[in-house]
Amino acid sequence: MTTKTRISVWLSDPASYKMADQPDIAVTAAREFNEKHPEYLIEIKAHDFYTMPGIVAQAAEQGTPPDVAEFHFTLTRTMMDALRNDGAPLFTPIERVIAGRSEILGEPVVLESMLPAARDFFRYAGEQIAMPRTASTLVLYANMSILNRAGVTKPPRTWREVEAACEAVAKLPDGPSHGIAWPNCYWFFLQSVAQQGGLIADHDNGRSARPEKVDLASNEMMAYVEWWRRLHRNGHYLYTGVIGDFPGCFEAFENQEVALLITSSVDATHLIQRGERHGFTVEACRMPYNDEVRFAGNSLGGFSLWLASGLSKEKQDGALAFMQYLNNPRNVAEWAKLHWRIPITKPSIDVLAAEDWFDRNPNLQPASEQAEETDGSPASLGPLMGDHAAIVGKLTSAMHDVLLNDAEPIARFASASEEAQQILEAYNSYCDGPPRRTPRDYTVSI
């Protein structure tokens, strides 16, 4: 009997382990791949995405890292800097080992068919370093029952339209206490700066070289902060007083304390269900943007697959082939249907369109359309920087002070930017050495 080549694949997207009542697409894909390629044995193991980076780092220290690992998008720079126990890079850029091939072990290479916004987030200095598996973005959810009573016939698409809608809702005699809510979360800042074409870090948002400077008080950032603050001061924005309070915002929307909610595109199913439970109609649309500047695009969040370095050619090709198989049109389409993720390849969008999926589920469409409306600039893709969680934490604490303690926005965010700069410099100095070191902190931004 021929010995099979074992390939360890560690996955961490929460949909992989929190949907016990749904088929696990990765497990099914691994079984199919093993049957199709009997010389290989793909072994899937799931980890919580918060703890996954640390678990992989520990395995690397012991010389037993997985062959393929999946990480949250905010860990991208950190994983680029991660080292094996012999000091070599822990992961190898996938484009380098695909080496221009159109298929691997008969499996078509899918990179060229991927949505640029999803694929190119994981590009550095012109090279694809990892392969996206799943993507999401921020969108607006509207209680159309309330908006229609206020004379607003469609969800607002711009910052000015949001203010107008909130003012109309405020005039309802029996309306909600506030017009809109969203959590004080780092992703909202990054998305809003990206929409306006602004940069968070130098060197093309850290995409052409390791970033050396970070700016959390740019004109684009302050435009967003001032708009947010104005909504709050005018009584339109509901702040629960808790940083990152997604549950509180969901509850306010369900209880119709607000008419509008901005949150992730993956929240569509349960928000629609909350509306159905309480007898109101929920409609999703694009994330509102600053109508005073040119729209550059929304950056995407999600998870990506990384290929371990130092693998044999046989194991490397098997791992790469499975990555392609996992992202074939059928698997990506099923992933989108089961978990309301953005379909990240154009052929998978065609599959869904042929099944009338978007017609039957129109609230998935805005996220997909928004993902395609990007100019591909470093600004629209978002930043790649080390110690991401600590840096973006300075944004949320600064906004908390602006909203609750009436801190002056420009001064408060300038202070946050100085603190973030110190964090970035400490990270770079530690990793660059000498001696060159693997990162110390693998905290995921939440």
Side-chain angles (χ1 to χ4, degrees):
M1 179 180 292
T2 303
T3 302
K4 293 179 181 289
T5 300
R6 293 176 177 267
I7 298 175
S8 56
V9 179
W10 292 6
L11 301 178
S12 64
D13 187 288
S16 297
Y17 59 86
K18 289 186 177 178
M19 302 289 288
D21 59 332
Q22 299 286 0
D24 190 315
I25 291 171
V27 171
T28 300
R31 183 174 61 249
E32 294 171 350
F33 184 89
N34 291 338
E35 292 173 355
K36 188 176 180 182
H37 302 275
E39 69 276 24
Y40 287 98
L41 180 62
I42 304 294
E43 298 177 311
I44 302 290
K45 189 173 184 179
H47 292 279
D48 186 298
F49 77 97
Y50 294 121
T51 59
M52 171 75 138
I55 293 172
V56 171
Q58 185 177 28
E61 290 176 3
Q62 298 169 353
T64 58
D67 302 315
V68 176
E70 182 181 48
F71 298 108
H72 192 254
F73 75 104
T74 59
L75 268 293
T76 301
R77 180 71 240 188
T78 301
M79 289 308 158
M80 289 170 60
D81 293 327
L83 304 177
R84 300 187 324 208
N85 57 4
D86 63 359
L90 180 55
F91 299 103
T92 190
I94 61 168
E95 187 172 355
R96 192 173 302 174
V97 289
I98 289 174
R101 288 177 286 178
S102 60
E103 63 176 43
I104 301 171
L105 302 181
E107 304 297 340
V109 174
V110 301
L111 281 179
E112 290 303 314
S113 69
M114 286 188 159
L115 298 182
R119 179 194 63 213
D120 293 350
F121 182 91
F122 303 101
R123 289 185 70 81
Y124 175 75
E127 185 174 48
Q128 194 73 32
I129 56 175
M131 173 175 285
R133 181 186 175 218
T134 180
S136 58
T137 188
L138 291 174
V139 294
L140 175 74
Y141 297 91
N143 181 329
M144 293 308 300
S145 302
I146 291 177
L147 289 188
N148 287 338
R149 286 198 293 116
V152 180
T153 59
K154 58 184 179 179
R157 293 170 57 89
T158 70
W159 290 1
R160 279 188 290 206
E161 288 180 7
V162 166
E163 291 188 78
C166 288
E167 289 168 1
V169 167
K171 294 176 183 177
L172 290 173
D174 57 346
S177 60
H178 295 77
I180 191 168
W182 65 84
N184 179 9
C185 167
Y186 74 92
W187 201 20
F188 296 75
F189 296 92
L190 302 188
Q191 292 260 20
S192 297
V193 170
Q195 287 180 327
Q196 300 173 78
L199 298 175
I200 299 293
D202 66 348
H203 298 306
D204 300 310
N205 248 354
R207 296 182 167 278
S208 58
R210 180 192 293 277
E212 298 175 288
K213 295 186 181 300
V214 64
D215 185 1
L216 304 187
S218 64
N219 291 336
E220 294 83 6
M221 182 70 75
M222 298 318 301
Y224 176 59
V225 169
E226 290 288 1
W227 175 69
W228 187 346
R229 180 192 190 209
R230 184 167 66 248
L231 284 172
H232 183 252
R233 283 191 161 186
N234 291 340
H236 299 317
Y237 170 77
L238 172 65
Y239 185 42
T240 67
V242 178
I243 292 175
D245 190 11
F246 283 87
C249 290
F250 295 155
E251 183 178 353
F253 187 72
E254 179 175 4
N255 294 337
Q256 302 190 75
E257 298 169 23
V258 295
L260 302 168
L261 172 66
I262 304 176
T263 185
S264 173
S265 54
V266 304
D267 294 320
T269 49
H270 76 84
L271 291 176
I272 293 168
Q273 291 167 358
R274 290 174 190 233
E276 291 172 347
R277 283 200 300 268
H278 295 275
F280 62 88
T281 301
V282 177
E283 183 176 336
C285 73
R286 65 183 302 159
M287 179 186 178
Y289 57 91
N290 185 353
D291 32 15
E292 294 184 359
V293 298
R294 186 184 70 84
F295 178 77
N298 280 83
S299 59
L300 298 186
F303 293 76
S304 62
L305 301 171
W306 293 69
L307 180 69
S309 64
L311 301 181
S312 67
K313 182 67 163 58
E314 183 180 33
K315 180 170 279 197
Q316 187 178 87
D317 279 358
L320 286 170
F322 179 67
M323 286 184 184
Q324 314 312 311
Y325 189 82
L326 191 56
N327 274 325
N328 71 26
R330 177 175 56 85
N331 284 330
V332 173
E334 287 301 311
W335 186 261
K337 289 192 290 186
L338 285 175
H339 304 298
W340 283 72
R341 298 304 202 267
I342 295 171
I344 60 173
T345 67
K346 294 173 184 176
S348 68
I349 294 174
D350 294 338
V351 169
L352 293 171
E355 296 177 357
D356 298 323
W357 171 254
F358 293 112
D359 291 337
R360 290 182 284 111
N361 299 274
N363 282 323
L364 182 62
Q365 189 89 32
S368 295
E369 292 176 344
Q370 186 168 284
E372 297 188 70
E373 295 178 11
T374 175
D375 63 10
S377 65
S380 70
L381 292 173
L384 297 181
M385 53 191 181
D387 217 343
H388 190 282
I391 289 174
V392 298
K394 299 302 178 182
L395 288 169
T396 53
S397 59
M399 197 68 210
H400 182 84
D401 285 346
V402 168
L403 295 176
L404 285 194
N405 302 323
D406 202 30
E408 198 285 317
I410 294 178
R412 183 62 185 85
F413 275 79
S415 174
S417 192
E418 292 175 1
E419 294 170 357
Q421 181 63 34
Q422 294 174 3
I423 294 170
L424 180 67
E425 290 175 0
Y427 173 89
N428 288 347
S429 176
Y430 182 82
C431 289
D432 289 344
R436 190 159 170 257
R437 304 179 182 94
T438 198
R440 288 177 293 189
D441 192 343
Y442 292 89
T443 303
V444 177
S445 301
I446 55 174

